[in-house]
Amino acid sequence: MLNGQVSHWWEQIGVPESRPELRGHSTVDVAIIGAGFTGLWTAYYLAKAKPGLNIAVLEARHVGYGASGRNGGWLTNTITAGPDHYRTTHSIQEINDFQLAMNQTVEEVINICAEENIDADILRGGEFEVAYTPAQEQRLREHARATSSWQHTDSKILEAEEARNKINVAGTRVALWHPHAARIHPAKLVRGLAEAAERLGVKIFENTRVKMIRPRQLEFDGGTVNTQFIVRATEGFTAQLAGHHRLWLPMNSSMIVTEPLAESVWDELNWSAGEVLGDYAHVYMYAQRTADDRIAIGGRGVPYKYGSRTDLDGLTPQSTVTGLSEVLHRMFPQTQHAKIAHAWSGVLGVPRDWAATVGLDPDTGIGWAGGYVGTGVATTNLSGRTLRDLILGHDTALTQLPWVNHRVRKWEPEPLRWLATKGLYAAYSQADRSELKGREGSSPLARIADKITGKP
């Protein structure tokens, strides 16, 4: 089993040849920190909208090194934190418009991949979330009722037999499905997007670590960049920037991928239409059937490292591999003897209220996007188009969406956030164990943990 080495996705296609580093002092129109999905979509849309704009993307390692090259490959329409999060601050129509924009974002990514000849193994099969304990079933049905009050969600309850005919998860009690999702290969998408941006004249500099953001200026190892606009697109690595240590919590998530599975296994699993798969556990899982017939499955490993530290190359503890393997085998007993080919980990950005944000401060020229809490594959595209409009000074439907210029208080200082995160995820894990034993309703431990964390 390979461990770390960034991710299976990059191991499969190979890390691109290194791009040049940036050195010395320079001036550009727009400087973007981070060559993941957020930074690259922003650069791509700006370059398309205004040819000749001098855009530089500064990346500490290589394109797609962070979450964009390590995620589960869910291109889905989720509003981070959910539509109810905005109920007290925005109108019902504004929230419904947000959901429609997310649905359209899924289509936008698929269409751009076709236009730019990016083969990202896209297969649109919708999002399938399963409940296999009584408590999970209760949460799923409650969520389905809440979701039905919003337009454009298009969710459908699948009772046990219909659900198993779609994906045969052991012990299925009920599932929830909607059509606005597709499986993708993350590294293929981020590599293709970078190349598309470069064809439009965007300059990408790798191994160029930004240390400090000032109004209209970036400081990096080896020089400075003066610029009219800055975009902070650093997601889970934001805490490494001076002055941003408590802005977003770098939450850890881990994945494993099996060897390719036999056709006879897939015949039993009924999993063939490109559905992305999740569950209703408190420490939830996410999975896809890859284009080469593996199961890639992820979930929480070691949730948080003291001092907002992040890993380097995705090395994953054996205990996490064992835990994810147990989830895999419980849901799909047919995989009991399948080898685990690769394990890796990465970080995602978590704001204090679990709600993503995009915005621009016109006084400093500093823009930002992130805090996706794992929903970034599609949301980053919406971020890129929104930042394009904000930077170009266009007042559009995108710049009026509820998440624009949303700000939230910082996380607590250490050691409080380490102690809290460690304790709260232990509570979630204990809640899942009690529910697997047949507990009828959601565990009080999980409800208390939700209140403390602010998790929706």
Side-chain angles (χ1 to χ4, degrees):
M1 182 190 77
L2 293 176
N3 194 332
Q5 300 182 37
V6 186
S7 72
H8 164 73
W9 312 118
W10 279 119
E11 178 67 22
Q12 190 174 49
I13 68 172
V15 174
E17 184 177 344
S18 292
R19 292 171 170 84
E21 301 176 31
L22 184 61
R23 289 290 178 265
H25 306 283
S26 57
T27 299
V28 300
D29 297 319
V30 182
I32 297 171
I33 313 167
F37 286 143
T38 298
L40 293 173
W41 280 123
T42 303
Y44 174 83
Y45 284 114
L46 278 170
K48 283 193 76 173
K50 194 171 182 179
L53 201 64
N54 189 354
I55 304 168
V57 181
L58 283 62
E59 165 57 45
R61 293 294 296 271
H62 63 71
V63 160
Y65 177 78
S68 299
R70 307 191 198 191
N71 62 78
W74 279 40
L75 178 68
T76 191
N77 72 340
T78 303
I79 294 176
T80 314
D84 282 337
H85 179 83
Y86 300 97
R87 192 184 284 272
T88 60
T89 57
H90 292 80
S91 71
I92 298 298
Q93 186 59 55
E94 287 173 319
I95 300 169
N96 285 329
D97 289 346
F98 194 3
Q99 185 62 72
L100 179 60
M102 284 304 306
N103 294 2
Q104 293 169 339
T105 294
V106 173
E107 299 299 321
E108 174 75 6
V109 173
I110 294 171
N111 292 338
I112 292 297
C113 285
E115 290 175 17
E116 297 291 352
N117 294 313
I118 300 172
D119 181 2
D121 295 343
I122 294 175
L123 187 57
R124 180 167 29 192
E127 179 178 329
F128 179 100
E129 292 184 286
V130 65
Y132 45 82
T133 70
Q136 286 187 27
E137 179 179 359
Q138 181 186 74
R139 288 195 294 276
L140 185 151
R141 293 188 186 277
E142 289 173 353
H143 182 255
R145 283 193 293 271
T147 299
S148 67
S149 68
W150 299 103
Q151 295 178 5
H152 314 303
T153 51
D154 303 324
S155 295
K156 177 185 177 182
I157 285 183
L158 307 178
E159 299 297 344
E161 183 177 359
E162 186 179 6
R164 286 194 297 269
N165 286 336
K166 198 166 187 60
I167 303 180
N168 185 15
V169 176
T172 294
R173 299 173 68 91
V174 65
L176 190 65
W177 177 87
H178 71 75
H180 306 291
R183 173 206 75 190
I184 65 147
H185 188 298
K188 289 183 179 180
L189 177 55
V190 75
R191 179 185 65 182
L193 179 56
E195 292 169 352
E198 287 174 319
R199 288 194 294 271
L200 293 169
V202 174
K203 298 180 180 65
I204 300 174
F205 299 96
E206 296 182 332
N207 298 305
T208 304
R209 184 180 299 277
V210 173
K211 300 187 296 184
M212 178 74 71
I213 302 175
R214 304 184 186 93
R216 320 287 178 186
Q217 187 183 69
L218 297 180
E219 180 182 340
F220 61 91
D221 292 333
T224 59
V225 176
N226 294 314
T227 179
Q228 186 177 1
F229 295 102
I230 293 167
V231 174
R232 190 188 74 233
T234 46
E235 185 55 355
F237 293 93
T238 300
Q240 296 181 354
L241 292 169
H244 293 74
H245 196 61
R246 291 168 51 198
L247 186 62
W248 292 335
L249 192 80
M251 188 72 75
N252 192 66
S253 195
S254 300
M255 292 196 73
I256 58 174
V257 66
T258 68
E259 64 184 345
L261 303 179
E263 185 176 346
S264 59
V265 173
W266 292 113
D267 287 342
E268 290 187 48
L269 298 186
N270 302 328
W271 189 2
S272 61
E275 302 94 341
V276 292
L277 168 66
D279 70 1
Y280 269 77
H282 299 290
V283 185
Y284 57 84
M285 54 72 65
Y286 51 93
Q288 66 153 279
R289 175 182 177 174
T290 68
D292 62 345
D293 294 332
R294 306 169 188 262
I295 294 177
I297 182 171
R300 196 70 63 224
V302 177
Y304 174 72
K305 296 183 179 182
Y306 188 88
S308 291
R309 290 181 294 116
T310 55
D311 76 287
L312 291 178
D313 293 306
L315 193 66
T316 301
Q318 181 57 47
S319 59
T320 299
V321 177
T322 299
L324 288 173
S325 298
E326 289 172 353
V327 174
L328 171 70
H329 301 326
R330 183 173 67 244
M331 296 180 77
F332 302 115
Q334 300 89 341
T335 66
Q336 192 69 42
H337 301 294
K339 294 180 181 178
I340 304 302
H342 199 153
W344 68 98
S345 297
V347 294
L348 45 94
V350 181
R352 191 62 182 84
D353 65 349
W354 296 70
T357 177
V358 60
L360 176 69
D361 181 344
D363 294 332
T364 63
I366 297 173
W368 68 89
Y372 304 117
V373 198
T375 66
V377 177
T379 314
T380 50
N381 176 276
L382 185 59
S383 294
R385 288 181 286 133
T386 304
L387 282 164
R388 170 202 60 196
D389 292 350
L390 290 169
I391 288 170
L392 296 180
H394 298 159
D395 185 6
T396 67
L398 297 184
T399 64
Q400 300 303 313
L401 290 174
W403 70 322
V404 176
N405 289 318
H406 172 73
R407 294 176 185 259
V408 66
R409 69 182 175 91
K410 295 181 179 179
W411 284 90
E412 290 74 10
E414 295 291 22
L416 294 177
R417 66 178 180 272
W418 181 81
L419 290 170
T421 306
K422 187 176 179 67
L424 291 167
Y425 272 90
Y428 283 134
S429 296
Q430 179 59 42
D432 281 331
R433 286 192 290 270
S434 70
E435 291 176 9
L436 279 169
K437 293 177 181 178
R439 182 184 182 90
E440 289 296 322
S442 290
S443 167
L445 280 173
R447 290 197 294 269
I448 293 169
D450 285 346
K451 290 286 187 184
I452 295 172
T453 62
K455 185 178 178 182

